[in-house]
Amino acid sequence: MSAPSGDRDCARPAGRGREGAGAGGVAGGAARSLRDPAVVARRRAMLGAARMAPLVAHVAELRALGLGEVPDFDPRDGGAEAQILFLLDRPGAMSVVANGRARPGSGFVSRDNDDPTSAAIARFLDEAGILRERSILACLSPWWTPAPRPEAAQRRAAPGQLARLLEVLGQLRLVIALGQGAARARPVVLARGVGFRVSAHPAPANRARAGEGWQAIPVEWARAARLYAPAAARSRPGPNLILPRR
């Protein structure tokens, strides 16, 4: 993902490592692991899992609209069984294969993508104690084009596609909008009766601008998860996270 130019992007992480199995039967993945074509191929084979079928169908509908490239949801996340949705404004270049860059993207909206914003997201999710098998990443405007901001047709279609996605995610309890671009989803989410919170955009480039708000991201995520979707959070957050007393 890229830094927030209008909060432009969807998910990816930092560091390197082998993919491992997480709790609940969902393999955990590793920071920036989708830089490896072999990992991407294995991830693509996992799209056939039953919990991914509704999301695969949703992506097919979005692609049929012809508004831009649409990356798949990451099958190492919670799929249609997710209880927390982390929502960004739009996909970043490293989430699409044909991105016009020297390195192709993965084709997934994923915390495991090879860019700094995904690295930060992966780190904050771990620190907040959010279970991967209970969470999912998505974008308010799911279509990628080289333009720096969503195009007019994409903006018009975005609320409707989000409403449809919320229907697909039948166990959803909470949406956390990452940045002010994604915060435009508030009316759609609240109309569905799902909890809604807004956090600072996690892109490292936003750190200076957001100040303490950026540092507090994992604390805010952990607090919201324990309020709205306690089953989606570890009993204890990461070792470096201290939740302030109320």
Side-chain angles (χ1 to χ4, degrees):
M1 298 183 239
S2 55
S5 58
D7 296 322
R8 173 186 185 168
D9 33 343
C10 264
R12 281 140 261 217
R16 302 184 184 183
R18 292 168 46 189
E19 297 193 309
V26 179
R32 294 192 186 243
S33 58
L34 289 177
R35 70 174 65 185
D36 184 344
V39 175
V40 173
R42 289 196 296 272
R43 198 75 54 100
R44 192 149 299 283
M46 294 173 63
L47 288 172
R51 60 190 172 75
M52 294 302 299
L55 292 169
V56 170
H58 179 63
V59 169
E61 293 174 0
L62 295 174
R63 288 171 177 164
L65 295 176
L67 296 178
E69 298 288 331
V70 182
D72 285 296
F73 293 90
D74 190 338
R76 288 202 188 278
D77 291 347
E81 301 170 358
Q83 295 186 1
I84 304 178
L85 168 62
F86 290 87
L87 188 70
L88 284 137
D89 189 17
R90 60 173 299 193
M94 294 309 293
S95 67
V96 295
V97 177
N99 59 14
R101 298 191 176 187
R103 289 185 299 118
S106 68
F108 292 99
V109 174
S110 176
R111 70 193 74 187
D112 298 334
N113 278 328
D114 187 17
D115 66 76
T117 297
S118 295
I121 290 174
R123 169 193 154 193
F124 289 152
L125 286 170
D126 181 64
E127 290 180 1
I130 306 297
L131 297 175
R132 182 159 194 169
E133 64 270 22
R134 301 283 187 176
S135 59
I136 194 169
L137 305 175
C139 297
L140 174 58
S141 179
W143 302 277
W144 182 86
T145 63
R149 298 180 185 275
E151 298 173 358
Q154 296 171 342
R155 288 197 301 270
R156 288 193 296 269
Q161 80 80 21
L162 178 60
R164 172 65 184 132
L165 176 60
L166 297 182
E167 292 176 1
V168 171
L169 300 176
Q171 299 183 35
L172 198 66
R173 300 290 180 268
L174 171 66
V175 173
I176 299 181
L178 309 185
Q180 292 305 309
R184 293 175 293 140
R186 182 187 300 272
V188 178
V189 176
L190 294 183
R192 185 75 183 173
V194 174
F196 186 79
R197 288 291 185 270
V198 180
S199 84
H201 194 287
N206 191 43
R207 184 172 185 170
R209 183 173 65 180
E212 292 183 0
W214 194 87
Q215 298 286 359
I217 286 174
V219 174
E220 296 302 322
W221 292 2
R223 181 178 290 148
R226 283 157 181 76
L227 179 62
Y228 288 96
R234 295 196 300 264
S235 57
R236 287 188 171 187
N240 297 323
L241 187 69
I242 298 175
L243 294 179
R245 296 175 181 266
R246 288 180 179 266

